[in-house]
Amino acid sequence: MRDVAVVAFAQAPNVRRDSDRNEVEILMPVLHEVREKVGLERDDIDFVVHGSTDFQAGMPFSFVGALDAYGAWPPINESHVEMDGAWALYEAWVKLQTGEIDTALAFAYGKGSPGDLVDVLRLQLDPYLVFPLGIDPIGMAAIQCRAYLEGVGRTEADMASVAVRDRRNGMTNPCAQVTGEFTVEGLLAEPMFVSPLRRHDCPPISDGACAVILAAGDRARDLVEHPAWVVGIDHRIEAPGLGMRDLTVSESTRIAAEKANASGTFDVAELHAPFTHQSLILEDTLGIDAAVTQVNPSGGALAANPFMVAGLTRIGEAAQRVLDGAAGRALAHATSGPCLQQNLVCVLEAREG
Amino acid sequence: MSGATDTGDTDAPADLVTGIVVPIHVEYEYTAGEAASRFLSHIPERRLVGQRHGDHGLVYVPPRGSDPANGEPTDQDVELTDQGTVTTFCIVNVPFAGQAVECPYVCAQILLDGADITFQALIQEAEVSQIHPGMRVEAVWVDDPEPTLESIRYFRPSGEPDATPESYKDHM
């Protein structure tokens, strides 16, 4: 395998509603900042790929319009995935492995505020057999949560402790949206939202964007002191039907982690768990020991969850700790689809594999 | 909200569901953005104000916030006129639902004076057979313009002599 590393990460502040700026205006400063961090001009980037969905923007070909934020003249080598930006990064990593390119920019944007995101996400359901039932993504997460609590024996207090942790961690992240000091008792006193989920168990709706630059071999070594080497990365998907899978575990995460060699201990883990119980499932599956691994120092998806962005943000946040010299080994995870349907695991290390 | 309906496909077995009706409804509240807002805010004054990056950037109208060639913000306003030159056009002969004007009509790309990209608009008050590249045109505004491009009803020939091909050859 070719040595490939994350060399830069930048993100926009996450907010519930950016009513001043459109998607291009949110992205533009992020794409400038990420290049400035490593002193790369547009000509120095060999490949650009991003993740977004037109359903969220409510505009056909909004993903093409997003290129206005980067600049596409003379024409550039570019691609797009209708997935979280973490999968854009995966495509960039694969292209780097081919040896065709030495640098790549992966970015993502998601403005959850223009439409009703819950309605928008319902559109991804099977139109014949699931959509007419009137269920939405929060209801689906609640179904998973109930199965998990009953099946594994965890409690609503365990879930609340995830929210307490992530919101507290978010206080040190200037880009986080939902932060603060809370207590498990205080959160459990709140009313049910979609039982067994309370509001603190669910992610905020966010407007946001982020960008990551990858570089291979000596290019990465020349650009930064501590490249965050991608020593393992893999993603796996499960069947879409909720009744077809075991909702109390994440088999796709387990296999992706195995293929990415995500065993042993980590200094930091950034998990893309939009719901509190999903963080518990992921921690169980990945074998994370909170005594040695700091989980979601950024606040995770409970502190800010720009749809299509938050997975790539996890890779960026994990990599940033290696770039800063604060972590020697970091784990990043991204998810897509209802109830942890598809999962990506990425292992980042200060030393190359 | 939905029901199984046999659409009457005679080739299908009688018990095959060939379609169901599942209404969907999603509303969006778009954000024009800072650049487009600046542009639209001048429309009630019957002013078309383009934008460019720095002193020497290309002038875009309507602006979307960035110079799409290089991803730089369009931080400067550039006052344009509501007159320009037809660079290319098409004649629409096909009626469709919701069509606002009678066929045949002309959709044109118009290079507003001072702009670097063309602006799409209808051309009216002219025989379609008379419309040609280089023709000089001017905007016809509604009586009480609001901050929307619908405040320009259409463009019409201004009666000036044609622009030289040299003046618009780089904007075709």
Side-chain angles (χ1 to χ4, degrees):
Chain A
M1 281 292 183
R2 199 175 182 211
D3 294 331
V4 169
V6 173
V7 294
F9 168 61
Q11 64 181 315
N14 291 286
V15 295
R16 174 63 185 86
R17 182 180 299 277
D18 189 334
S19 44
D20 294 336
R21 301 187 298 168
N22 62 30
E23 284 85 342
V24 165
E25 291 168 340
I26 291 172
L27 262 175
M28 204 167 15
V30 175
L31 297 181
H32 278 259
E33 184 188 340
V34 78
R35 285 197 288 109
E36 283 161 10
K37 282 188 169 180
V38 281
L40 291 182
E41 301 296 323
R42 288 173 56 255
D43 287 350
D44 299 323
I45 307 274
D46 298 332
F47 178 59
V48 177
V49 57
H50 81 279
S52 67
T53 172
D54 288 355
F55 283 90
Q56 178 167 230
M59 273 185 274
F61 295 98
S62 71
F63 71 97
V64 180
L67 286 181
D68 286 357
Y70 182 76
W73 188 262
I76 59 174
N77 184 4
E78 188 269 345
S79 184
H80 174 262
V81 293
E82 192 89 356
M83 304 177 78
D84 186 288
W87 277 265
L89 180 140
Y90 185 87
E91 182 175 332
W93 178 83
V94 169
K95 204 166 176 85
L96 282 155
Q97 290 302 331
T98 67
E100 263 183 48
I101 58 167
D102 293 322
T103 55
L105 169 68
F107 72 90
Y109 70 95
K111 203 164 192 286
S113 62
D116 182 327
L117 188 58
V118 170
D119 279 351
V120 170
L121 290 176
R122 285 181 69 217
L123 299 179
Q124 71 186 322
L125 303 176
D126 179 321
Y128 284 91
L129 303 174
V130 183
F131 187 94
L133 303 178
I135 194 159
D136 67 28
I138 298 173
M140 295 171 89
I143 283 172
Q144 179 187 36
C145 182
R146 177 64 73 199
Y148 177 70
L149 293 180
E150 301 291 330
V152 178
R154 302 295 280 268
T155 65
E156 290 164 15
D158 294 331
M159 291 160 56
S161 68
V162 171
V164 168
R165 178 197 69 199
D166 283 0
R167 289 178 175 190
R168 178 184 294 141
N169 288 349
M171 290 167 74
T172 60
N173 175 3
C175 292
Q177 180 185 345
V178 180
T179 66
E181 280 290 351
F182 296 86
T183 64
V184 169
E185 300 72 32
L187 292 179
L188 290 179
E190 296 292 319
M192 285 291 178
F193 179 45
V194 180
S195 174
L197 300 173
R198 294 178 175 81
R199 285 202 179 265
H200 66 256
D201 295 310
C202 305
I205 293 173
S206 313
D207 289 353
C210 78
V212 168
I213 294 177
L214 294 173
D218 286 341
R219 198 81 169 94
R221 293 179 197 99
D222 291 344
L223 288 170
V224 288
E225 192 180 350
H226 305 293
W229 299 102
V230 179
V231 298
I233 186 167
D234 194 81
H235 65 92
R236 300 281 147 165
I237 192 165
E238 301 180 39
L242 296 192
M244 297 174 190
R245 20 181 182 131
D246 181 348
L247 297 175
T248 66
V249 295
S250 181
E251 187 64 4
S252 47
T253 300
R254 189 190 66 75
I255 297 173
E258 187 182 300
K259 299 291 179 188
N261 294 315
S263 56
T265 58
F266 294 92
D267 300 310
V268 165
E270 281 283 339
L271 307 180
H272 183 196
F275 295 86
T276 54
H277 68 278
Q278 293 178 346
S279 187
L280 298 173
I281 293 173
L282 292 168
E283 289 167 52
D284 290 350
T285 301
L286 293 164
I288 288 173
D289 178 357
V292 293
T293 302
Q294 192 187 8
V295 179
N296 288 352
S298 70
L302 291 169
N305 190 38
F307 185 58
M308 309 305 275
V309 180
L312 181 60
T313 305
R314 302 284 74 72
I315 298 176
E317 289 280 6
Q320 189 64 54
R321 270 121 190 120
V322 177
L323 289 165
D324 291 343
R329 194 155 189 259
L331 178 67
H333 159 268
T335 196
S336 178
C339 300
L340 301 174
Q341 182 189 352
Q342 185 170 15
N343 293 281
L344 180 149
V345 173
C346 177
V347 179
L348 299 146
E349 289 186 4
R351 289 163 199 257
E352 42 214 280
Chain B
M1 67 180 269
S2 63
T5 22
D6 186 340
T7 58
D9 182 344
T10 51
D11 294 334
D15 59 350
L16 190 69
V17 176
T18 56
I20 63 170
V21 177
V22 183
I24 60 171
H25 178 85
V26 186
E27 285 189 13
Y28 293 91
E29 189 177 315
Y30 296 122
T31 301
E34 291 166 353
S37 293
R38 243 157 65 213
F39 168 76
L40 291 169
S41 69
H42 296 298
I43 298 285
E45 304 153 5
R46 295 184 167 79
R47 292 166 60 203
L48 296 173
V49 180
Q51 292 174 23
R52 70 181 171 206
H53 172 68
D55 294 336
H56 306 291
L58 297 177
V59 176
Y60 294 93
V61 63
R64 291 187 70 238
S66 81
D67 182 325
N70 55 27
E72 298 291 340
T74 52
D75 47 9
Q76 285 197 13
D77 286 352
V78 181
E79 187 85 30
L80 307 173
T81 71
D82 65 354
Q83 301 184 356
T85 302
V86 173
T87 61
T88 184
F89 65 97
C90 72
I91 301 169
V92 180
N93 289 295
V94 183
F96 56 85
Q99 203 164 35
V101 287
E102 266 182 48
C103 287
Y105 63 90
V106 167
C107 271
Q109 294 297 120
I110 295 165
L111 184 65
L112 294 175
D113 297 346
D116 284 304
I117 61 164
T118 53
F119 184 89
Q120 189 169 331
L122 285 175
I123 297 189
Q124 302 269 278
E125 297 188 35
E127 291 296 328
V128 295
S129 59
Q130 300 302 308
I131 292 166
H132 55 273
M135 180 181 242
R136 295 286 297 163
V137 292
E138 63 189 8
V140 176
W141 297 80
V142 299
D143 290 339
D144 295 305
E146 293 184 11
T148 160
L149 278 180
E150 288 176 19
S151 293
I152 296 178
R153 293 173 62 199
Y154 52 79
F155 281 72
R156 69 182 172 201
S158 65
E160 294 169 88
D162 280 0
T164 62
E166 191 64 25
S167 68
Y168 60 88
K169 73 174 173 50
D170 292 332
H171 303 279
M172 295 296 279

